[in-house]
Amino acid sequence: MPQTLTILGSTGSIGENTLDVVSRHPDRFRIFALAGHRQVEKLAAQCVRFAPEYAVTADAGHAAALEKLLRDQSCQTQVLYGAQALADIAAADCVDGVMCAIVGAAGLPSALAAAKAGKTIYLANKETLVMSGALFMETARANGAQVLPVDSEHNAVFQVLPRGCAGRLDEHGIRSIILTASGGPFLDTDPAELEHITPAQAVKHPNWRMGRKISVDSATMMNKGLELIEAHWLFDCPPARLEVVIHPQSVVHSMVRYLDGSVLAQLGNPDMRTPIAYCLGLPQRIESGAQALDFETLSALTFRQPDSARFPCLQLAYEAMNAGGAAPCVLNAANEVAVAAFLDGKIRFTDIARTVAHCLNGSFPNDTGSLESLLDLDAQTRRQAQAFSERPNAKPYF
Ligand code: NAD
Ligand code: MG
């Protein structure tokens, strides 16, 4: 029987890579639903190619536009729209697995719906774990949902950890989890230049082709900060046992340090189809389309420590992770607003960290027990971050 999939965020970078892997295995996977928000032309082409039962857009206007494109091509896919439709296609009875690849906090309610429905969750949307790690993991556990990490670092760690070791690191002789980071495009840029960085420069990642938000997160290293929090929840790993090392070539995707001195790593070309195929194929290995690693052309693998003065966002994420409670949710919301403002040309690159620090230093309720309380906190922080990033006569924070 083929595995039935819903892909949330099918028109994004992870969504397209997922469909590329799926297309290599027509007997193995069937697409039940695709969600593509506002990118109706791309979504229409995906519907024609993969013939899902449902396609979900952002709102009625985009739904009407998609409907017209589909009918013109005699495609029978039914069109739905809005947040409830995202949750419905994630939780539908016939669905086995859900790829959660919406970007940002917008991906949380549908990911949580998949967890409540006990689905196999292919989790790319790291913001879900940053915002609601405790609630999401507990909901998954209570409903028998399996959470498989798509993020390349966590996928690497998952591949080299013994099964079932989450929360029992000592029993398995695990000393620490080491996340590798490329360091992004500004690893060696003169720090004085950072405030003049343009959005076009910031989204140009040296090794990976990704959506705009995660590309800026990589440039500030907030991405690695979000990934620390993601690893903390996925592997039930105390913050003190999480390490970050800069590895500019992005070939070692992450590592696990064991008690006996061994360090196990997963290597490969930087291509998200590898972790996606690993998750979709489990327990088998399946073809992903990624090129084999070529040791003749691979020149050097280098490693160094991150510089917290250059990357204040990484430090802020460490602080939020250590503070726990609602702090990571505040970190995430402030960062999303600041990154969007930077991409719109409204604030400088260096103002992203200032905005996040401002929100983390304010007071906020510490209730993380329900989706509603987290969404309220998210909305409140967004307003605060918006006001801060639009303030007149902004003074440097650092
Ligand atoms: P992207 O911007 O390329 O795609 C985002 C997708 O989400 C698109 O399909 C878009 O239509 C949809 N979307 C945007 N806003 C939405 C909203 N409000 N409601 C519903 N859908 C919405 O992003 P991406 O690079 O594919 O990243 C997706 C997620 O995966 C992010 O959380 C990112 O951190 C994570 N991730 C991405 C990569 C990568 O290589 N791209 C690697 C690891 C993790
Ligand atoms: Mg990653």
Side-chain angles (χ1 to χ4, degrees):
M1 280 289 279
Q3 205 187 328
T4 301
L5 302 177
T6 280
I7 304 181
L8 303 168
S10 66
T11 50
S13 159
I14 292 290
E16 289 193 293
N17 277 311
T18 303
L19 287 173
D20 183 276
V21 173
V22 164
S23 71
R24 291 165 196 276
H25 306 278
D27 300 335
R28 219 181 158 107
F29 304 109
R30 187 175 77 85
I31 303 293
F32 171 72
L34 297 173
H37 205 50
R38 298 195 177 119
Q39 292 159 289
V40 287
E41 282 177 15
K42 210 186 260 187
L43 187 54
Q46 293 178 343
C47 290
V48 169
R49 181 156 181 218
F50 292 94
E53 271 146 74
Y54 296 98
V56 177
T57 68
D59 49 42
H62 288 90
L66 177 65
E67 185 96 38
K68 180 166 181 348
L69 288 170
L70 294 181
R71 298 311 160 242
D72 287 351
Q73 297 173 82
S74 309
C75 176
Q76 301 306 313
T77 299
Q78 291 189 48
V79 179
L80 308 171
Y81 63 85
Q84 186 57 49
L86 292 177
D88 291 345
I89 60 168
D93 280 348
C94 66
V95 171
D96 302 309
V98 181
M99 170 60 72
C100 294
I102 290 173
V103 59
L108 171 60
S110 49
L112 204 55
K116 262 193 196 132
K119 304 301 183 192
T120 299
I121 299 173
Y122 310 115
L123 190 66
N125 178 272
K126 62 192 84 185
E127 294 90 347
T128 285
L129 281 176
V130 175
M131 288 177 75
S132 74
L135 178 68
F136 182 77
M137 292 308 281
E138 175 50 27
T139 305
R141 197 202 53 74
N143 295 284
Q146 198 185 3
V147 182
L148 300 175
V150 171
D151 209 350
S152 59
E153 296 77 3
H154 307 74
N155 189 270
V157 169
F158 188 69
Q159 290 196 39
V160 297
L161 276 178
R163 285 287 165 269
C165 68
R168 298 155 66 190
L169 303 187
D170 282 332
E171 266 175 61
H172 291 269
I174 296 158
R175 189 161 271 169
S176 64
I177 288 173
I178 308 169
L179 300 182
T180 53
S182 70
F186 310 128
L187 184 56
D188 295 311
T189 305
D190 177 352
E193 293 296 310
L194 290 178
E195 63 178 321
H196 306 300
I197 293 298
T198 65
Q201 290 171 308
V203 298
K204 234 185 185 167
H205 196 277
N207 306 332
W208 299 93
R209 286 190 50 226
M210 313 182 283
R212 284 161 68 77
K213 190 257 177 186
I214 185 177
S215 298
V216 176
D217 284 348
S218 297
T220 60
M221 280 196 80
M222 178 59 92
N223 184 49
K224 211 49 53 183
L226 301 179
E227 290 184 355
L228 282 167
I229 301 169
E230 183 185 11
H232 166 62
W233 290 111
L234 275 173
F235 307 116
D236 199 359
C237 180
R241 287 186 176 199
L242 289 167
E243 302 179 49
V244 172
V245 63
I246 294 206
H247 165 49
Q249 297 82 18
S250 299
V251 166
V252 175
H253 295 310
S254 277
M255 302 177 269
V256 174
R257 195 191 289 281
Y258 286 86
L259 197 62
D260 58 5
S262 299
V263 174
L264 300 195
Q266 185 260 356
L267 280 69
N269 281 317
D271 186 327
M272 288 308 293
R273 291 177 299 179
T274 298
I276 291 168
Y278 181 83
C279 288
L280 290 179
L282 211 67
Q284 276 169 284
R285 296 265 178 182
I286 61 172
E287 192 65 56
S288 71
Q291 286 215 334
L293 197 57
D294 178 356
F295 289 97
E296 273 188 32
T297 53
L298 197 63
S299 52
L301 299 180
T302 59
F303 300 91
R304 59 172 132 151
Q305 288 308 306
D307 166 1
S308 59
R310 178 188 294 272
F311 297 113
C313 283
L314 180 60
Q315 192 55 36
L316 290 167
Y318 264 117
E319 286 166 21
M321 174 169 64
N322 284 318
C329 184
V330 169
L331 174 93
N332 181 68
N335 181 57
E336 282 193 34
V337 169
V339 170
F342 167 68
L343 285 171
D344 283 349
K346 291 182 185 150
I347 64 171
R348 290 167 299 180
F349 183 73
T350 42
D351 289 330
I352 296 173
R354 290 188 188 111
T355 308
V356 174
H358 170 75
C359 293
L360 278 176
N361 287 336
S363 64
F364 44 83
N366 218 11
D367 177 7
T368 58
S370 70
L371 177 61
E372 292 66 36
S373 58
L374 289 164
L375 293 180
D376 281 351
L377 178 59
D378 178 76
Q380 175 190 320
T381 308
R382 279 169 195 272
R383 287 191 293 274
Q384 203 184 350
Q386 198 81 40
F388 183 78
S389 62
E390 285 167 4
R391 72 209 187 282
N393 309 320
K395 290 211 177 71
Y397 188 90
F398 292 105

